[in-house]
């Protein structure tokens, strides 16, 4: 291993010897500091860049890559940039530089405080808002990432549950959803190997007012009962930690929202025709509201699989009832949710800060939404979703990774056959097999392929960070399909 030098800021009993290289050759290290700076010799190597939440990019990028003025900003995560700033690449919680020998030097935070790792051709730095433990290791990428995940699990806990196969309304029905459409798809799925039927966004009055709208006149308890009658688990989409500006909640209780420095609600993003805000999960009234909502959804209505979305809203920077940073406040909110619903409800996290979600949720979206197009060069195509999920597979030892649905239908779909096969392979690799294709929209051969995907459990062997043996086929996620002119 080439010489690596270390500078600690505000360390507390790091326990280091004077020879850092000797320490790393005989194991990994845990350092306690607000800031860490390592000099490394990997000037032309690659950097592992990890985004803040589910939809943020995760990838390996050349250290000497410079962002261009026309590089598109990442969608839907205003507190993360995947561009090089001042010659540095930015990452959240964990970063790693790869040497010429293929081994990597990994630096990862083991606590909250919005920890970031930055890399330049000469330095690898970690910094947080207060002293935290940092994990430092050198070795094969698969080994050091697995060890990092193990350290996170030992501190935050492990929950990982296989929900079975999932059919989701979102990519086929979208927001224009009704209980008649749900009943129609349930009829189409008779005899299909589907374990969970997930009713996604579009059922509620608004984002923040979680009551069924006029398209669900029978109510959500009755709909859950009808899904259970098909021997399937009823799944429901809810975004319990945000409120849209148009919602009664946001208008009636502005004091329940995370506030900016001026006292006005801090925007967490824009969707559904306007801005939305994060709920202050440290506020007693908000915590009561969350508890009432989750009891209603699970105990009164009977939904036992919940896809909780846009969760990062509760972790955005801002002023809160209690003086907690965003990640700690978020963690207190999701721990409350788990306490309310109990252990028998499957909680799927989406749009979630990655590390603070571990130990609470059963499964976690590890990439952005897929789309019926492979690459539109705005970081919103399925190529980006698949490659981000592949770069986060190291989380599999800590939580069940959810790579989003696999497409099998060709109608209204610009994905080619090989691209759809890559999505299916990712479902087998993660063990999370879901789809949104209605049987009525499939050709006979497409329906056959989807049934086979849902019913099979193929043996998966990982060859390296990008190549896998899936059944009898080798699948490589680093080939020409993933080449991007800007990477």
């Amino acid at each position: 291993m080439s010489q690596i030098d270390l500078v600690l800021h505000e360390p507390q009993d790091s326990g280091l010897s004077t020879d850092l290289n000797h320490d790393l050759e005989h194991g990994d290290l845990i350092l306690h500091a607000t800031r860490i700076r390592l000099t490394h010799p990997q000037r032309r190597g690659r950097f592992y860049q990890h985004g803040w939440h589910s939809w943020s990019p995760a990838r390996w990028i050349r250290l000497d890559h410079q962002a261009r003025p026309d590089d598109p900003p990442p969608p839907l995560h205003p507190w993360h940039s995947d561009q090089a700033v001042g010659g540095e690449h930015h990452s959240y919680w964990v970063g790693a530089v790869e040497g010429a020998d293929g081994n990597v030097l990994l630096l990862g935070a083991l606590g909250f405080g919005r920890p970031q790792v930055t890399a330049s051709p000469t330095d690898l730095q970690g910094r947080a808002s207060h002293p935290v433990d940092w994990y430092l290791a050198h070795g094969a990428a698969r080994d050091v990432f697995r060890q990092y995940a193990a350290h996170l699990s030992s501190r935050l806990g492990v929950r990982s549950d296989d929900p079975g196969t999932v059919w989701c309304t979102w990519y086929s029905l979208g927001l224009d959803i009704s209980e008649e459409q749900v009943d129609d798809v349930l009829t189409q799925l008779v005899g299909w190997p589907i374990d969970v039927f997930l009713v996604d966004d579009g059922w509620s009055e608004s984002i923040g007012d979680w009551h069924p709208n006029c398209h669900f006149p029978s109510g959500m308890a009755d709909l859950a009962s009808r899904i259970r009658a098909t021997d399937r688990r009823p799944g429901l989409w809810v975004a319990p930690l945000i409120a849209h500006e148009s919602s009664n909640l946001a208008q009636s209780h502005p004091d329940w929202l995370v506030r900016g420095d001026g006292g006005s609600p801090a925007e967490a993003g824009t969707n559904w025709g306007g801005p939305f805000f994060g709920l202050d999960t440290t506020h007693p009234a908000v915590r009561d509201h969350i508890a009432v909502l989750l009891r209603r959804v699970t105990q009164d209505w009977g939904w036992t699989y919940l896809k909780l979305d846009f969760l990062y809203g509760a972790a955005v920077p801002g002023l809160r009832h209690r003086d907690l940073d965003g990640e700690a406040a978020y963690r207190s909110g999701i721990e409350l949710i788990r306490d309310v619903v109990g252990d028998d409800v499957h909680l799927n996290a989406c749009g979630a800060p990655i590390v603070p979600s571990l130990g609470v949720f059963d499964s976690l979206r590890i990439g952005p939404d897929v789309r019926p197009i492979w690459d539109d060069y705005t970081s919103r195509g399925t190529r980006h979703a698949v490659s981000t999920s592949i770069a986060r597979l190291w989380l599999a030892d800590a939580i069940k990774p959810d790579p989003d649905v696999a497409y099998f239908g060709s109608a209204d779909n610009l994905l080619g056959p090989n691209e759809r096969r890559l999505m299916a392979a990712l479902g087998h690799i993660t063990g999370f097999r879901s789809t949104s294709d209605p049987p009525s929209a499939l050709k006979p051969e497409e329906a056959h392929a989807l049934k086979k995907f849902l019913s099979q459990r193929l043996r998966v062997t990982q060859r390296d960070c990008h190549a896998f043996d899936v059944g009898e086929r080798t699948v490589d996620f680093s080939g020409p399909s993933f080449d991007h002119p800007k990477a």
Side-chain angles (χ1 to χ4, degrees):
M1 179 171 60
S2 301
Q3 181 62 40
I4 299 170
D5 297 317
L6 170 70
V7 176
L8 293 177
H9 295 262
E10 302 175 40
Q12 295 182 6
D13 188 23
S14 67
L16 278 176
S17 75
T18 57
D19 188 346
L20 176 62
N21 283 52
H22 177 273
D23 287 343
L24 286 177
E25 286 174 355
H26 290 81
D28 44 25
L29 298 171
I30 293 180
L31 315 172
H32 191 74
T34 303
R35 293 180 57 201
I36 292 176
R37 180 169 63 84
L38 296 144
T39 61
H40 64 82
Q42 320 299 348
R43 294 178 181 272
R44 293 188 177 275
R46 295 190 304 164
F47 174 58
Y48 176 78
Q49 181 184 63
H50 185 264
W52 184 50
H53 69 56
S54 300
W55 307 321
S56 307
R59 61 178 180 172
W60 287 92
I61 189 168
R62 285 179 59 91
L63 278 168
D64 58 1
H65 169 73
Q66 294 295 317
R68 303 189 317 190
D70 60 344
D71 276 358
L76 291 174
H77 43 92
W79 294 278
H80 173 82
S81 171
D82 69 346
Q83 300 181 10
V85 179
E88 291 185 335
H89 295 285
H90 291 251
S91 185
Y92 281 92
W93 287 297
V94 61
V97 289
E98 181 184 55
D101 60 358
N103 287 326
V104 303
L105 177 68
L106 178 144
L107 180 64
L110 297 174
F112 305 153
R114 219 164 190 76
Q116 297 184 49
V117 178
T118 60
S120 73
T122 58
D123 291 344
L124 184 66
Q125 297 191 54
R127 59 177 178 266
S129 60
H130 55 263
V132 299
D133 283 346
W134 296 89
Y135 174 74
L136 180 63
H138 180 268
R142 287 172 59 186
D143 294 336
V144 296
F145 276 97
R146 184 177 292 116
Q147 292 158 9
Y148 176 55
H151 279 281
L152 289 173
S153 296
S154 69
R155 295 179 180 228
L156 301 175
V158 178
R159 291 189 69 96
S160 182
D161 176 54
D162 183 358
T165 55
V166 180
W167 197 92
C168 171
T169 62
W170 178 244
Y171 296 99
S172 53
L173 303 181
L175 288 172
D176 298 324
I177 189 176
S178 68
E179 64 178 80
E180 290 83 4
Q181 290 174 310
V182 169
D183 287 335
D184 177 55
V185 176
L186 283 171
T187 300
Q188 295 180 42
L189 290 174
V190 170
W192 281 67
I194 296 290
D195 299 309
V196 177
F197 189 97
L198 173 61
V199 178
D200 211 290
D201 191 8
W203 64 269
S204 66
E205 290 179 347
S206 71
I207 305 303
D209 303 328
W210 301 106
H211 299 279
N213 59 36
C214 62
H215 300 292
F216 291 82
S218 299
M220 303 312 288
D222 187 73
L223 182 56
S225 178
R226 296 206 300 275
I227 294 173
R228 279 195 304 275
T230 68
D231 293 326
R232 296 189 173 98
R233 193 174 192 176
L236 190 65
W237 178 96
V238 190
L241 303 185
I242 62 168
H244 195 267
E245 67 167 356
S246 64
S247 66
N248 289 330
L249 186 152
Q251 295 180 14
S252 301
H253 301 286
D255 57 315
W256 288 11
L257 308 175
V258 179
R259 291 164 288 124
D261 292 336
S264 298
E267 288 190 16
T270 301
N271 204 353
W272 306 283
F276 60 88
F277 314 104
L279 298 190
D280 177 3
T281 54
T282 72
H283 195 297
V286 171
R287 295 178 69 83
D288 289 343
H289 160 77
I290 292 171
V292 169
L293 168 62
L294 270 297
R295 288 192 189 100
R296 180 169 71 243
V297 169
T298 57
Q299 298 175 19
D300 298 344
W301 292 352
W303 298 84
T304 59
Y305 177 104
L306 300 183
K307 176 184 176 183
L308 304 185
D309 208 349
F310 288 87
L311 293 170
Y312 76 86
V316 299
L319 303 175
R320 291 172 167 81
H321 180 78
R322 290 179 57 201
D323 186 20
L324 289 181
D325 67 57
E327 291 169 3
Y330 166 75
R331 180 75 179 194
S332 73
I334 63 175
E335 286 177 341
L336 170 65
I337 290 174
R338 173 55 74 186
D339 288 342
V340 169
V341 305
D343 291 331
D344 294 334
V345 173
H346 184 105
L347 294 181
N348 172 261
C350 188
I354 299 296
V355 170
S357 299
L358 302 180
V360 175
F361 290 94
D362 299 290
S363 57
L364 172 69
R365 270 282 297 278
I366 55 171
D369 284 11
V370 297
R371 297 180 65 209
I373 183 172
W374 187 245
D375 206 339
D376 62 3
Y377 299 102
T378 63
S379 296
R380 292 186 174 95
T382 290
R383 180 199 62 81
H384 176 65
V386 172
S387 61
T388 297
S389 293
I390 289 293
R392 283 206 176 105
L393 288 180
W394 60 269
L395 286 161
D397 290 337
I399 195 167
K400 187 72 171 178
D402 171 8
D404 209 2
V405 304
Y407 286 104
F408 284 80
S410 56
D412 301 318
N413 192 324
L414 297 177
L415 294 169
N418 185 59
E419 294 159 351
R420 296 198 298 272
R421 282 193 291 269
L422 287 171
M423 297 175 75
L426 184 55
H428 285 297
I429 290 167
T430 59
F432 200 107
R433 293 163 296 152
S434 60
T435 189
S436 189
D437 288 331
S440 61
L442 299 175
K443 300 175 181 177
E445 63 274 18
E446 294 167 349
H448 175 75
L450 176 52
K451 284 185 176 180
K452 189 174 180 181
F453 167 74
L454 295 169
S455 59
Q456 279 187 322
R457 286 184 176 270
L458 299 180
R459 180 175 179 175
V460 175
T461 303
Q462 186 170 2
R463 288 174 171 254
D464 57 36
C465 290
H466 298 97
F468 301 80
D469 290 333
V470 182
E472 301 299 320
R473 190 164 63 99
T474 298
V475 183
D476 189 349
F477 291 92
S478 63
S481 295
F482 290 90
D483 289 342
H484 193 294
K486 293 175 182 176

